[in-house]
């Protein structure tokens, strides 16, 4: 019996020693620094954004289709009925939620790159504005961060101005994704939606439009700035009809966030991309960025490159109910000149060389 008790005591002593050694080892491991925690939060913020924009709509659609054939079939039926009832809301002001724009997650999103907003001129709350956003890039990170989230201080830089951002109308046909977009202040890039914002919500509204659209994303690559703008005049016509001032903006660094396989004009792959873009509204780009575990691995996360969005001088536009083609062409040319001036005055400040030029298609 004494032998058994002694053995048990020895085992307990050994167990205590093992636990103490394990605790000492655990305490000896360095805890993550504040910088490490911040970097992890930034990475997660960007990850949720990328997954939301690439997968939320499709996953929601597949989920509702699956539920339709289960005992929970009433959920998709009621939601579809709601969407039919609510169909015109995206083009009639939407359901913008200020709390969503102030999420802390957007500050981590901003700091990942980081993204910065620069004001060059005042915007008066007594006018409405159409802000041309250039370039498109792959996922319009600069436009989203500056005009949809409050993380870069748009409302503080331009007091009395409410910013909105337009996107493909097809995105608002995807379940749940449409609610997510509207809550942030995104609207379809249609005449009806833009006209509503410029005529039915008073003054002090700034509607940002990524002029180059999906077609411009096909030319997105580091070191080259090609804008689809020569034949894009609808935004000028809308500005004239509503007397909205035109404001150029340029996001320096937008094209450096991803690497893309760019097919030459005239190749069969570029032809397929063009046809797909005409049918579906967006271009199927073959791009990659960094992976989740390492910046040296490949994945769908953007590289951490600084983005500086410079908002230029507003171009006064008269209100003309039915503007002539000549008038539209004149203000389109004035807008291009203002954009070129903005680019030339700021390119060397934000990462480009003196020899870099804008190319227009």
């Amino acid at each position: 019996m004494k032998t058994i008790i002694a053995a048990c005591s020895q085992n307990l002593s050994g167990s205590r020693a093992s636990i103490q050694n394990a605790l000492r080892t655990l305490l000896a491991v360095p805890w993550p620094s504040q910088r490490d925690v911040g970097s992890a939060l930034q990475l997660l913020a960007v990850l949720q954004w990328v997954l939301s924009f690439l997968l939320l709509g499709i996953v929601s659609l597949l989920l509702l289709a699956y539920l339709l054939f289960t005992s929970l079939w009433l959920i998709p039926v009621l939601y579809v009925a709601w969407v039919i009832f609510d169909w015109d809301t995206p083009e009639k002001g939407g359901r913008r939620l200020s709390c969503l724009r102030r999420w802390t997650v957007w500050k981590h999103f901003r700091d990942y790159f980081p993204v910065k907003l620069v004001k060059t001129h005042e915007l008066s709350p007594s006018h409405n504005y159409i802000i041309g956003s250039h370039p498109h890039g792959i996922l319009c990170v600069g436009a989203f961060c500056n005009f949809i989230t409050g993380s870069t201080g748009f409302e503080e830089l331009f007091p009395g101005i409410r910013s909105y951002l337009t996107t493909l109308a097809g995105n608002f046909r995807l379940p749940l994704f449409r609610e997510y977009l509207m809550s942030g202040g995104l609207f379809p890039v249609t005449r009806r939606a833009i006209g509503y914002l410029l005529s039915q919500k008073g003054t002090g509204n700034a509607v940002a439009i990524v002029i180059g659209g999906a077609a411009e994303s096909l030319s997105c690559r580091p070191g080259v700035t090609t804008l689809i703008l020569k034949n894009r005049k609808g935004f000028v016509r809308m500005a004239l009809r509503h007397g909205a001032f035109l404001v150029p903006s340029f996001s320096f660094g937008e094209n450096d966030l991803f690497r893309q396989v760019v097919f030459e004009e005239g190749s069969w792959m570029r032809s397929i991309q063009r046809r797909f873009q005409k049918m579906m509204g967006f271009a199927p780009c073959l791009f990659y960025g960094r992976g989740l575990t390492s910046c040296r691995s490949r994945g769908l996360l953007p590289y951490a490159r600084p983005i500086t969005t410079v908002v230029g001088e507003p171009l006064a536009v008269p209100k003309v109910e039915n503007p002539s083609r000549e008038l539209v062409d004149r203000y389109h040319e004035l807008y291009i000149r203002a954009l070129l001036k903005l680019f030339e005055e700021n390119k060397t400040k934000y990462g480009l060389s003196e020899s870099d030029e804008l190319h227009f298609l």
Side-chain angles (χ1 to χ4, degrees):
M1 180 62 70
K2 292 180 179 180
T3 304
I4 295 174
I5 293 174
C8 289
S9 299
Q10 187 174 1
N11 288 338
L12 288 173
S13 299
S15 298
R16 292 193 194 96
S18 299
I19 293 172
Q20 290 173 352
N21 289 332
L23 288 173
R24 290 193 191 99
T25 303
L26 181 62
L27 293 174
V29 175
W31 288 87
S33 65
Q34 188 175 358
R35 182 178 179 180
D36 293 334
V37 173
S39 297
L41 290 174
Q42 292 168 16
L43 196 63
L44 290 175
V46 174
L47 176 63
Q48 66 82 24
W49 179 79
V50 171
L51 293 179
S52 296
F53 270 83
L54 293 182
L55 299 177
L56 179 59
I58 298 300
V59 171
S60 300
L61 183 62
L62 294 175
L63 178 61
L64 289 178
Y66 168 75
L67 293 177
L68 194 60
F69 298 96
T70 68
S71 59
L72 300 175
W73 61 269
L74 190 59
I75 294 177
V77 169
L78 290 176
Y79 182 77
V80 170
W82 159 252
V83 170
I84 294 173
F85 173 78
D86 194 55
W87 189 259
D88 291 335
T89 298
E91 294 188 324
K92 291 185 176 181
R95 282 186 295 273
R96 173 171 167 160
L97 299 177
S98 298
C99 59
L100 182 65
R101 296 166 67 94
R102 294 195 298 266
W103 271 3
T104 303
V105 69
W106 301 132
K107 294 182 180 179
H108 297 303
F109 179 88
R110 172 201 64 195
D111 294 339
Y112 170 83
F113 298 95
V115 181
K116 182 181 178 182
L117 182 64
V118 175
K119 179 179 78 170
T120 61
H121 293 79
E122 295 289 342
L123 297 183
S124 171
S126 61
H127 299 290
N128 284 326
Y129 303 89
I130 290 181
I131 300 178
S133 179
H134 312 272
H136 183 284
I138 296 294
L139 295 178
C140 303
V141 172
F144 176 85
C145 191
N146 288 300
F147 302 127
I148 288 301
T149 78
S151 61
T152 56
F154 182 93
E155 294 181 353
E156 288 74 25
L157 286 173
F158 302 101
I161 305 297
R162 297 174 296 276
S163 62
Y164 304 90
L165 180 64
T166 59
T167 185
L168 291 173
N171 289 330
F172 294 89
R173 299 187 182 99
L174 294 172
L176 301 183
F177 192 44
R178 69 190 295 273
E179 323 299 340
Y180 178 72
L181 295 177
M182 282 192 291
S183 64
L186 282 141
F187 292 86
V189 61
T190 62
R191 292 179 183 178
R192 187 182 180 190
I194 297 171
Y196 184 94
L197 292 173
L198 297 177
S199 63
Q200 302 296 319
K201 295 180 74 70
T203 59
N205 301 296
V207 181
I209 304 175
V210 185
I211 309 296
E216 194 172 276
S217 65
L218 296 177
S219 302
C220 169
R221 61 182 184 271
V224 178
T225 308
T226 301
L227 304 182
I228 307 295
L229 188 57
K230 282 185 177 181
N231 297 317
R232 299 293 174 96
K233 301 178 182 180
F235 72 103
V236 178
R237 186 172 289 105
M238 288 295 298
L240 285 165
R241 284 178 177 172
H242 298 281
F245 287 16
L246 288 169
V247 183
S249 73
F250 196 93
S251 293
F252 294 91
E254 183 73 46
N255 284 351
D256 298 330
L257 304 183
F258 293 95
R259 301 292 181 267
Q260 181 183 183
V261 180
V262 179
F263 300 100
E264 296 297 328
E265 289 291 344
S267 65
W268 65 275
M269 278 300 297
R270 176 54 70 96
S271 177
I272 291 175
Q273 287 178 316
R274 293 290 188 195
R275 290 177 183 176
F276 191 92
Q277 183 246 321
K278 288 181 179 179
M279 289 188 297
M280 304 300 294
F282 65 94
C285 302
L286 297 180
F287 67 91
Y288 65 89
R290 59 157 292 177
L292 181 61
T293 57
S294 170
C295 60
R296 289 182 292 273
S297 60
R298 291 187 179 184
L300 291 178
L301 294 179
Y303 292 107
R305 303 285 188 270
I307 303 172
T308 303
T309 300
V310 184
V311 179
E313 182 178 3
L315 173 63
V317 175
K319 185 175 182 179
V320 181
E321 189 68 28
N322 294 301
S324 64
R325 179 180 298 179
E326 292 75 17
L327 188 62
V328 171
D329 289 343
R330 185 197 310 170
Y331 278 93
H332 184 263
E333 180 61 30
L334 289 174
Y335 176 83
I336 290 179
R337 290 179 188 176
L339 177 61
L340 280 170
K341 179 183 177 183
L342 178 71
F343 179 81
E344 292 296 331
E345 290 178 349
N346 293 278
K347 63 182 181 181
T348 56
K349 298 178 185 178
Y350 304 114
L352 299 182
S353 66
E354 191 65 43
S355 60
D356 285 319
E357 297 179 348
L358 276 181
H359 302 278
F360 296 102
L361 295 177

